[in-house]
Structure formats: structure tokens, C-alpha cells
């Protein structure tokens, strides 16, 4: 489902939102408005107290969501409604500890039965075979990350245990908008694409329509997280802001096609 | 899984770090198999750190508790704690790997000072992440690090203590992985760190075993050490692992509301790259911790300790803030030794141990000296 959604989209943009910010009801409306404004799929982040792969914006988002009372039970209550209303695949982004707390297999099964299509785990074990098997068993796509530092041999191994799309990490470092993308990104993505039939989407550091435009020329999709969340957190009306940012990211592109 | 201790340990890291962990593991294995590496390590231990550290019979403390108490004096090392053993080992490894910039996390500041010291000694750039709350309560160590030419970077995120300093150091490492070596200070983190740190700290246990055999001609009944991440404990335990000796770690019970006692009160989970006992809520969010000893103020514990606890080879007791402060005062008055507040937790456990073990011979690891804590101790009204 995720693979098809990206392949069917002429310009696949995958926005990321932290769940529970400012509250679960608003998160639902933000997801709806992102879907209506043309998102190919939507990444929903489970807030975590110690997000070691995240920069300041998503750290802050996590903290605020937890401080405002985010609970896993509330997420499971809301997910089926979100999935039913927005008609684009929902992907859960979570550090491994919140997924393990209720039992990894049981949590994955609950996510799947709540309408989630795939998961991304930024601190998955370096030997992720068991996690991959668990996701296969319950029918979730495990979207795995390939970093700028990942050797080719390991890239092969990762894409063979990956479903949905391959997440190409654009920069060495944590999440957060960057003014410049590294010059070798295009070559890296092209090399990665030669190893797999799965779509390759680029995330970490993507900021603004111009960068999306540049990346989408060689990648199958773009993930936009911190850039979007920073604007949502500043906005008086985050639902309207989500629509606005999403339109701006896609709008400029539609002229370019 | 690779680098696991039973169900604990492993490698849970952002993918960007994967090659760095492989590189580190390979370098570690080559170094550990190289006698030249150990010759240099041993000579620095002797001539720079001042090892072997003494094993002192604490006569008045023994009489006080009705025990035979021997103190392993890591407080007498250069820089004032056991942290220097690991810092020397890892800086030698970093140099072999061609790294030029060192980063570290610190809680009490002892590991920060040890790292800043070896960076000065080897002419390396050094940045130390430290929680802003810890910077206040350990100001002396902050100034020492700065004098040594290290940049101390305040961490204000989360609880602004050791946990957050560790997260921030990992974020720096992910960003600067090509040039930077992460010199982790405790037996925590992803494989190969817990194994490597244990190996460097095992000099404590090897010495202590040889010393007690030479001085007394018999093994002790128990070895007691404080456990935050647990590097001083795993180091001294290593010397007695195969002996019929009780191994007792002492966790910080804190102030009765929050503690740092992950083995006693935690549930297995993943923090900072490894599976271990973790103080967490029902949703897997890491809980706030507290200890009067900044070095024990941590929600996780080295994965090998989790394994030793579950397997029953070691057991883990509890000492709260007030008991640790009282032990700090007691060791001052009875032995003329000011222990670090971390080490004071281990001293304090003697009171519990003495109840059922009158006359027993025990070794307590005095992992560091307490000059850095005078400020805190005075504030607490001792």
C-alpha cells in the first residue's frame, strides 16, 4: 500500500507530524488537512522522552506532546478514525522503547489492526532481522533507513529486509532543517536505487519547496519533518498551517512537472 | 544478538553510527590482541595514574561495623577517581584510529575531568557535554575541565543531567562521526562500549584480588561497589567473577520520590543504544531520576549488570541520599577519607551488610574522592 501510494504519486511528499501536539484531536485534523493537500503518505511520530536521533525542533515537539499528556492508549483509540478518514497510508515513526514497552509483537499487531501501514524505527537494532520478521508476521511494512555512511554491502542487506520504501537519510546527523543538502546526495540516492525496486525517499534536513523540488528529480519521494513541525508549533491555527505548508511544498512543484 | 549479555546489551543506534561501531569494534579487537597496546596502557597506569591504587585496611570503620573492611582506593588515582583508567584506555584506541576530536558526557564531572586530562596529555580537541543542573552542583569540576583546555557544553534539554548529556553526545557523534571519537564514561551504550569499558576498568579487580591474597592470603566474602552506569563496579567485580565471592552493587535510592535505582525498580527497555533495566513509565517514557550523587543520577544501568542481576551472580542493594551523606561524614571521621558521594553509597551499604555478616571480610571500592562534593554536602547541612 505504501509502495503503491508513492509510485502513483507524481511528486510524493511524506509529511511528519508528532502525535498529540497540541492534542490528539488537533493531530487528527492536521493529518486530514495534510492528506487533502496532497500528501502521498503521512508519518506519525510517537513522542519519546529521549529522542537521540532528533534535532532541537523534534525534541521540543516530543517534549511538548508528552507534557500535554500524550498516552499510547489514546493513540490506539484515535488511529482507526484517522486511517479511515484520510485515505493515505499512515506510517508510525517511533523509537524502539515505546514499541517494546507493551511487548513488541503485541504493539505491532495493535498498530496494524488500527489501520497503520508501516513503521520506521530510528534506533532499530543494527541486526534487524527479528524486527523485520515480526513486522512481516503482522502485515506491517518495516521502512528501514540507509545513512550516508552505510557501506554498499550493508545497503544490500537492508533493502532486502525492507518494505514500503527505503528511507535515505540525507545528512550525517540528527533531524532538523538544513539550508544546504550535501552535494553527494544525488549520487548516493541513484546508487541506492540501483540496489532495489522499492521507492527511495529522502528525509532528514529537508527544508522548503526548493529543496523538495531539487530532491524529487532523483528520488521517489521526500519526507518533511522538522520544517513542517516548526511551522505548526508557531502557528495559531496548526490545521490551516499544515494545509498551507503542504500546498507550498507541492504547489511550486506542480508547475515544474 | 551481537554484543549481548543474555537478553541485555546489543546495538540500538541511528544507522549513521553503524559503520563507526564496526570500526570501533575492529580497532578494539586489534588493540586488545596487541601486547604493545597493553605495554603502553600499563606504563601510563603506573607512571601517570599512579597505579596500583592501595588496598587499605580500614581499622576504625571495621570496628564500627563489626566487619573486616578493606578499601580499594581509586580515589587516590590521578584526577581523583576510577574514570581515568577507562579514559587512558580509550584515548590510546582513539589515537590508533586516527581520530583527532574527542567528545564525552559527564554527570559528576569525574569522567569529564578524566577525559579532559587525557586529551591534554595527548594533544586532542575535547568537548564535554554536561547537564546544566550538574554544572551547578559540580562547579569545581567544570572549572578544572576548562583549565585543561576542554570546551564544556551545557545541556538544558530534558532533566539537564547525565541522561541528557549522553543523548547530546550521541547527537554530536552522529553529526561528526568521521573525525570524532565518543569516549563514553561508563559501562553503558551500544556494543562494544560495555565490553571495552569493563576491560579497561578490570584493572581495579585484578589488583584488588592480588592485593587481598598478598595481604590476607584469602578471598573476601563480598565485594561492594556503587552502581550508576556501573563501570567501577563491573571493574572490581571482574576480578572476582569466578570466585566464591558475593558481588554487591549499590544503587541510589534517592530522596524517596525519585531514585537512580534501575535494577531495583526498572523494567527492561532500550536507552542509549542498549537493552537494560530502565526506569520508565507504562508508555515506555523514561522517568525522572534523582540522587544526591550526580554520577548515580541515571535511569539506566550497564547491560552486564542487568545480566548479572537476572542471573543471580550479583545482587543490588539500595542506599538513599541521607544514608550516603551520613556515610560520607563517617568515613571522614573514622578513616580520614572523604569519598565521592557516589562511593559513599557503597560505604553506607556496610551497615546493611553487617547486620547478617558480623566478622566478614569485605572489599569496598572507593571509586572517587569527595572534594567535588563539599559544596553539596555543606548545602545538605552536614
Amino acid at each position: 500500500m505504501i509502495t503503491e501510494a508513492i509510485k502513483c504519486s507524481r511528486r510524493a511528499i511524506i509529511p511528519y507530524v508528532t502525535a498529540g501536539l497540541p492534542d490528539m484531536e488537533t493531530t487528527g485534523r492536521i493529518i486530514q488537512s495534510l492528506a487533502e493537500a496532497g500528501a502521498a503518505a503521512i508519518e506519525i511520530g510517537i513522542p519519546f522522552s529521549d529522542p537521540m536521533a532528533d534535532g532541537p525542533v523534534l525534541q521540543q515537539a516530543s517534549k511538548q506532546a508528552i507534557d500535554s499528556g500524550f498516552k499510547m492508549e489514546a493513540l490506539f483509540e484515535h488511529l482507526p478514525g484517522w486511517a479511515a478518514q484520510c485515505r493515505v497510508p499512515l506510517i508510525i515513526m517511533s523509537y524502539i522503547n515505546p514499541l517494546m514497552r507493551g511487548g513488541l509483537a503485541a504493539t505491532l499487531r495493535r498498530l496494524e489492526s488500527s489501520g497503520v501501514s508501516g513503521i520506521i524505527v530510528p534506533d532499530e537494532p543494527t541486526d534487524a532481522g527479528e524486527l523485520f520478521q515480526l513486522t512481516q508476521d503482522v502485515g506491517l511494512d518495516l521502512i528501514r533507513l540507509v545513512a550516508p555512511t552505510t557501506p554498499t554491502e550493508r545497503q544490500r542487506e537492508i533493502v532486502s529486509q525492507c518494505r514500503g520504501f527505503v528511507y535515505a537519510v540525507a545528512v550525517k546527523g540528527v533531524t532538523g532543517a538544513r539550508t544546504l543538502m550535501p552535494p553527494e546526495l544525488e549520487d548516493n540516492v541513484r546508487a541506492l536505487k540501483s540496489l532495489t525496486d522499492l521507492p527511495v525517499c529522502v528525509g532528514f534536513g529537508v527544508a522548503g519547496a526548493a529543496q523538495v523540488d531539487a530532491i524529487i528529480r532523483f528520488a521517489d519521494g521526500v519526507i518533511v519533518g522538522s520544517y513542517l513541525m516548526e511551522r505548526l508549533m508557531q502557528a495559531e491555527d496548526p490545521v490551516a498551517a499544515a494545509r498551507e505548508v503542504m500546498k507550498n511544498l507541492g504547489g511550486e512543484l506542480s508547475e515544474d512537472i | 544478538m551481537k554484543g549481548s549479555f543474555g537478553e541485555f546489551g546489543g546495538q540500538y543506534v541511528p544507522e549513521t553510527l553503524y559503520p563507526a561501531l564496526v570500526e570501533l569494534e575492529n580497532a578494539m579487537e586489534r588493540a586488545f590482541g596487541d601486547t604493545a597496546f597493553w605495554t603502553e596502557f600499563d606504563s601510563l597506569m603506573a607512571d601517570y595514574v599512579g597505579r596500583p591504587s592501595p588496598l587499605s585496611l580500614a581499622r576504625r570503620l571495621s570496628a564500627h561495623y563489626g566487619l573486616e573492611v578493606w578499601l580499594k582506593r581509586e580515589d587516590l588515582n590521578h584526577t581523583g577517581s576510577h574514570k581515568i583508567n577507562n579514559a587512558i584506555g580509550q584515548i590510546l584506541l582513539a589515537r590508533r584510529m586516527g581520530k583527532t576530536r574527542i567528545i564525552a558526557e559527564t554527570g559528576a564531572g569525574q569522567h569529564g575531568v578524566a577525559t579532559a586530562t587525557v586529551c591534554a596529555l595527548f594533544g586532542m580537541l575535547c568537548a564535554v557535554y554536561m547537564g546544566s543542573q550538574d554544572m551547578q552542583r559540580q562547579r569545581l569540576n567544570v572549572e578544572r575541565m576548562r583549565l585543561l583546555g576542554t570546551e564544556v557544553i551545557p545541556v538544558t534539554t530534558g532533566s539537564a543531567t547525565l541522561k541528557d548529556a549522553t543523548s547530546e553526545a550521541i547527537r554530536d557523534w552522529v553529526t561528526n562521526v568521521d573525525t570524532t571519537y565518543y569516549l563514553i564514561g561508563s559501562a553503558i551504550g551500544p556494543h562494544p562500549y560495555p565490553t571495552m569499558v569493563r576491560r579497561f576498568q578490570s584493572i581495579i579487580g585484578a589488583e584488588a584480588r592480588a592485593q587481598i591474597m598478598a595481604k590476607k592470603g584469602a578471598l573476601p566474602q563480598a565485594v561492594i561497589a556503587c552502581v550508576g552506569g556501573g563501570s567501577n563496579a563491573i571493574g572490581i567485580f571482574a576480578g572476582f567473577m569466578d570466585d566464591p565471592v558475593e558481588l554487591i552493587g549499590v544503587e541510589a535510592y534517592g530522596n524517596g520520590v525519585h531514585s537512580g535505582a534501575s535494577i531495583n525498580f526498572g523494567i527492561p527497555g532500550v536507552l542509549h543504544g542498549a537493552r537494560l533495566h530502565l526506569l520508565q513509565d507504562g508508555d515506555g517514557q523514561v522517568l525522572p531520576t534523582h540522587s544526591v550523587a550526580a554520577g548515580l543520577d541515571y535511569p539506566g544501568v550497564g547491560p552486564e549488570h542487568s545480566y548479572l542481576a537476572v542471573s543471580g551472580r550479583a545482587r543490588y542493594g539500595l542506599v538513599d541520599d541521607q544514608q550516603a551523606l551520613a556515610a560520607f561524614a563517617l568515613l571522614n571521621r573514622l578513616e580520614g577519607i572523604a569519598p565521592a558521594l557516589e562511593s559513599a553509597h557503597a560505604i553506607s551499604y556496610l551497615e546493611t551488610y553487617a547486620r547478617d555478616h558480623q566478622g566478614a571480610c569485605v572489599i569496598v571500592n572507593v571509586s572517587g574522592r569527595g572534594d567535588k562534593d563539599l559544596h553539596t554536602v555543606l548545602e545538605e547541612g552536614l
Side-chain angles (χ1 to χ4, degrees):
Chain A
M1 189 181 175
I2 297 171
T3 308
E4 288 67 42
I6 291 165
K7 284 190 170 165
C8 289
S9 172
R10 299 178 72 180
R11 288 293 185 268
I13 296 175
I14 305 171
Y16 165 98
V17 285
T18 303
L21 194 65
D23 54 58
M24 295 302 271
E25 283 68 31
T26 311
T27 301
R29 290 166 57 218
I30 290 170
I31 290 168
Q32 179 68 15
S33 108
L34 290 168
E36 286 167 6
I42 296 168
E43 233 187 272
I44 300 169
I46 295 180
F48 182 47
S49 52
D50 298 82
M52 69 175 171
D54 285 307
V57 171
L58 295 191
Q59 284 178 48
Q60 188 60 30
S62 251
K63 185 174 184 331
Q64 282 184 20
I66 293 168
D67 290 349
S68 333
F70 172 85
K71 287 280 174 283
M72 288 293 273
E73 269 319 306
L75 179 70
F76 286 120
E77 277 164 31
H78 283 87
L79 275 172
W82 296 348
Q85 86 190 12
C86 82
R87 290 186 311 214
V88 302
L90 298 183
I91 299 162
I92 287 288
M93 203 291 313
S94 177
Y95 287 86
I96 196 143
N97 198 56
L99 298 178
M100 282 177 153
R101 184 62 179 87
L104 190 53
T107 305
L108 295 177
R109 214 173 297 121
R110 274 189 94 180
L111 288 172
E112 196 279 336
S113 62
S114 306
V116 170
S117 301
I119 63 160
I120 301 170
V121 184
D123 61 343
E124 64 178 20
T126 56
D127 175 8
E130 198 185 325
L131 179 63
F132 178 65
Q133 193 55 51
L134 283 173
T135 56
Q136 290 288 95
D137 292 348
V138 304
L140 281 175
D141 287 346
L142 177 65
I143 294 154
R144 295 188 61 189
L145 299 98
V146 169
T149 53
T150 308
T152 307
E153 250 334 281
R154 182 165 165 83
Q155 289 185 23
R156 281 204 182 88
E157 183 192 315
I158 289 173
V159 299
S160 75
Q161 296 187 332
C162 177
R163 296 287 182 269
F165 65 87
V166 181
Y167 192 133
V169 176
V171 296
K172 286 175 205 157
V174 293
T175 60
R178 312 288 205 279
T179 45
L180 284 175
M181 282 286 124
E184 65 277 16
L185 178 61
E186 178 169 354
D187 290 344
N188 288 348
V189 170
R190 288 192 193 283
L192 182 57
K193 278 172 72 77
S194 74
L195 303 178
T196 178
D197 294 330
L198 288 169
V200 173
C201 300
V202 172
F204 275 49
V206 181
Q211 279 189 9
V212 172
D213 199 16
I215 292 168
I216 211 86
R217 289 176 210 280
F218 54 83
D220 300 305
V222 181
I223 300 129
V224 182
S226 299
Y227 176 81
L228 170 64
M229 284 308 297
E230 190 169 14
R231 276 148 191 82
L232 297 193
M233 287 158 77
Q234 286 164 356
E236 262 179 47
D237 179 354
V239 180
R243 193 183 311 271
E244 191 63 23
V245 172
M246 193 63 209
K247 272 190 181 159
N248 287 342
L249 291 174
E252 267 191 33
L253 292 162
S254 56
E255 297 174 7
D256 204 321
I257 294 167
Chain B
M1 187 196 274
K2 196 173 177 185
S4 60
F5 305 91
E7 59 182 301
F8 301 101
Q11 292 179 320
Y12 300 82
V13 293
E15 173 62 22
T16 304
L17 292 179
Y18 171 81
L21 291 179
V22 173
E23 182 193 5
L24 180 61
E25 184 179 8
N26 290 339
M28 177 189 86
E29 277 170 5
R30 276 196 304 273
F32 282 10
D34 181 354
T35 45
F37 178 83
W38 291 113
T39 305
E40 187 170 13
F41 178 79
D42 290 342
S43 95
L44 284 161
M45 285 295 118
D47 302 331
Y48 189 71
V49 177
R51 301 201 72 94
S53 68
L55 183 74
S56 320
L57 179 60
R59 288 194 172 78
R60 297 187 66 207
L61 191 71
S62 297
H64 179 82
Y65 284 125
L67 296 166
E68 180 186 338
V69 181
W70 295 79
L71 302 176
K72 181 59 176 166
R73 301 292 308 280
E74 292 298 301
D75 58 309
L76 293 177
N77 293 341
H78 178 46
T79 73
S81 85
H82 71 291
K83 294 293 186 187
I84 191 76
N85 306 329
N86 170 53
I88 293 268
Q90 288 201 52
I91 199 93
L92 292 176
L93 197 57
R95 194 187 55 182
R96 283 167 76 107
M97 292 169 72
K99 303 289 182 184
T100 52
R101 177 176 178 263
I102 305 292
I103 55 169
E105 82 296 338
T106 197
Q110 293 302 94
H111 175 58
V113 167
T115 304
T117 299
V118 298
C119 287
L121 184 64
F122 285 87
M124 300 241 204
L125 277 176
C126 182
V128 171
Y129 288 90
M130 188 167 189
S132 56
Q133 192 194 326
D134 291 339
M135 284 179 73
Q136 277 184 9
R137 53 181 172 174
Q138 305 287 350
R139 272 168 55 191
L140 196 63
N141 276 341
V142 173
E143 292 312 321
R144 280 177 79 190
M145 285 185 267
R146 288 180 176 148
L147 277 171
L148 289 158
T150 281
E151 182 190 2
V152 183
I153 303 172
V155 177
T156 54
T157 52
S159 54
T161 58
L162 178 57
K163 159 184 91 98
D164 310 285
T166 306
S167 293
E168 209 50 35
I170 292 171
R171 292 185 186 111
D172 180 314
W173 195 27
V174 178
T175 308
N176 302 297
V177 64
D178 297 332
T179 58
T180 297
Y181 181 97
Y182 179 22
L183 206 161
I184 209 163
S186 193
I188 58 165
H191 175 72
Y193 282 110
T195 298
M196 174 164 64
V197 174
R198 190 255 316 260
R199 179 66 188 83
F200 291 135
Q201 293 294 4
S202 68
I203 193 167
I204 307 172
E207 281 177 11
R209 192 181 191 286
Q211 287 165 322
I212 197 81
M213 293 309 288
K215 285 171 193 270
K216 183 181 161 67
L219 288 166
Q221 190 165 329
V223 171
I224 301 175
C226 66
V227 175
S231 69
N232 89 83
I234 208 71
I236 195 162
F237 288 179
F240 301 91
M241 204 60 81
D242 301 326
D243 295 322
V245 172
E246 241 187 305
L247 306 177
I248 304 172
V250 182
E251 293 196 310
Y253 205 177
N255 58 11
V257 181
H258 296 302
S259 77
S262 9
I263 289 181
N264 278 282
F265 303 124
I267 290 160
V270 172
L271 182 68
H272 296 142
R275 189 159 188 272
L276 37 75
H277 284 94
L278 181 61
L279 294 167
Q280 54 177 322
D281 70 11
D283 270 2
Q285 307 295 349
V286 178
L287 288 169
T289 56
H290 167 81
S291 170
V292 70
L296 306 183
D297 196 346
Y298 185 68
V301 64
E304 192 170 2
H305 285 294
S306 285
Y307 173 71
L308 292 175
V310 167
S311 71
R313 177 64 192 94
R315 64 189 176 88
Y316 294 83
L318 289 165
V319 162
D320 70 19
D321 286 355
Q322 292 310 314
Q323 292 171 314
L325 288 162
F328 177 92
L330 188 72
L331 200 64
N332 269 279
R333 285 198 212 109
L334 294 184
E335 298 293 338
I337 296 170
L341 280 174
E342 290 77 11
S343 322
H345 283 71
I347 298 290
S348 174
Y349 192 77
L350 289 170
E351 188 164 333
T352 307
Y353 192 78
R355 275 182 220 138
D356 304 322
H357 300 85
Q358 279 295 301
C361 171
V362 298
I363 298 178
V364 181
N365 199 17
V366 183
S367 55
R369 70 173 185 231
D371 310 49
K372 69 181 177 67
D373 294 314
L374 283 179
H375 179 71
T376 305
V377 169
L378 293 174
E379 268 186 357
E380 296 286 336
L382 273 186

